[in-house]
Amino acid sequence: MARGVRLLARRRTVPRLARQLWPVESGHSLVRLGPPADGGYLVPDDLVGVRTCFSPGVSSESGFELECARRGMIVHLADASVDGPAELHDSFRFEQVFFVGGRTQGEFVSLHDWITQAAASRELGDCILQMDIEGWEYESLAAVPSSTLSLFRVLIIEFHFLDELWTGTRGAAIQSVLLRLLETHACVHIPPNNCCGAVTYFGVSVPRVMEFTFLRRDRLLSGGYRHQFPHPEDRDNVAEKPRLLLPSAWRAKAMAR
């Protein structure tokens, strides 16, 4: 009964959230950093002057971080599940810690504290955040002050459990974090991760995992919505699984010519 009540209550809120996240035209072309499959991301070609990359959630692929380092960035990486990044570079700064929620305790560190500690050691300048922490992104981002989020010119975040927007108890928390990011940043790209499929209710499909790219609003050079989906540089995360395209609810309809 409770699940059905939540589903009906979100019949309007989920499509409204999807519309608020429609990718916009930023005035910057999208370029791929990292490998052609999992671990590679499309980002706005507006990286000149970005001095620092933060990458919580390292796993076994560090191609994105390596390209950031080759562009002259200091790259802070963190993941307690591995001994170090898959690639090595003099500009890498690795810490073996987990990110869980908003508290720092033992091997767990808050995202805000991690960024603050790095900021104390050097002038950060504009930053880029690439986050893939398997569902802990909501609690971690909710605890980061807006002033800290504003340090990041680009945010690339893999959001998990998005099917719970429909029926799960964490649906409100997911929506709150996504809307909070939109206060300072605009969504410019959403490729679904084809690892886990999608759920559909009332004709609105929600992929369970999607990789969102945001650009800080002061960096936007143009207006309007993007209409090219998928992007020519989009690639499947998992080659052996069916392709998962961005559902129509998450993108503006192309204007008739």
Side-chain angles (χ1 to χ4, degrees):
M1 177 67 73
R3 182 178 182 273
V5 169
R6 286 195 295 268
L7 181 60
L8 287 171
R10 295 171 188 172
R11 184 172 184 170
R12 291 184 178 87
T13 59
V14 173
R16 186 183 306 126
L17 175 65
R19 287 195 298 274
Q20 290 171 290
L21 288 159
W22 282 353
V24 302
E25 288 286 1
S26 68
H28 306 279
S29 60
L30 295 174
V31 295
R32 176 170 287 276
L33 298 186
D38 206 23
Y41 305 93
L42 295 191
V43 302
D45 193 8
D46 181 30
L47 300 176
V48 174
V50 175
R51 298 172 52 183
T52 312
C53 171
F54 288 89
S55 180
V58 174
S59 188
S60 59
E61 173 57 61
S62 303
F64 172 85
E65 295 83 355
L66 184 61
E67 287 205 35
C68 287
R70 287 171 174 168
R71 287 172 175 256
M73 301 180 206
I74 297 295
V75 181
H76 296 270
L77 309 96
D79 193 330
S81 69
V82 296
D83 293 327
E87 311 277 355
L88 297 177
H89 195 281
D90 289 343
S91 294
F92 281 2
R93 310 286 186 267
F94 175 76
E95 294 183 65
Q96 201 167 22
V97 295
F98 281 126
F99 293 87
V100 180
R103 276 190 319 173
T104 294
Q105 183 176 351
E107 66 178 351
F108 303 110
V109 63
S110 76
L111 182 64
H112 174 61
D113 286 349
W114 185 51
I115 295 167
T116 301
Q117 289 163 12
S121 62
R122 66 193 305 274
E123 185 181 352
L124 289 179
D126 266 2
C127 307
I128 185 170
L129 173 69
Q130 189 284 120
M131 172 186 280
D132 181 3
I133 53 176
E134 306 302 327
W136 292 105
E137 58 271 14
Y138 302 108
E139 291 182 57
S140 296
L141 288 167
V144 176
S146 296
S147 57
T148 301
L149 286 175
S150 294
L151 293 172
F152 293 97
R153 186 183 297 183
V154 178
L155 303 168
I156 306 156
I157 305 168
E158 184 164 276
F159 284 105
H160 303 77
F161 310 120
L162 290 171
D163 52 307
E164 294 199 24
L165 280 168
W166 280 120
T167 60
T169 55
R170 81 175 91 190
I174 295 173
Q175 178 169 300
S176 176
V177 166
L178 288 168
L179 291 178
R180 183 164 180 255
L181 294 180
L182 288 176
E183 293 174 6
T184 51
H185 293 72
C187 180
V188 297
H189 192 48
I190 315 175
N193 189 321
N194 70 322
C195 67
C196 306
V199 296
T200 302
Y201 293 102
F202 308 113
V204 177
S205 182
V206 178
R208 290 184 172 88
V209 180
M210 292 200 283
E211 298 166 352
F212 288 73
T213 300
F214 297 88
L215 180 66
R216 203 173 58 216
R217 291 189 178 276
D218 66 302
R219 305 299 301 185
L220 296 175
L221 298 179
S222 62
Y225 294 105
R226 280 188 48 221
H227 296 298
Q228 185 183 29
F229 299 96
H231 189 279
E233 292 297 319
D234 279 338
R235 300 290 183 270
D236 295 334
N237 295 75
V238 185
E240 59 269 22
K241 291 202 172 186
R243 188 159 211 198
L244 181 59
L245 300 177
L246 184 66
S248 60
W250 295 86
R251 50 190 170 90
K253 295 178 176 64
M255 300 294 290
R257 294 184 180 275

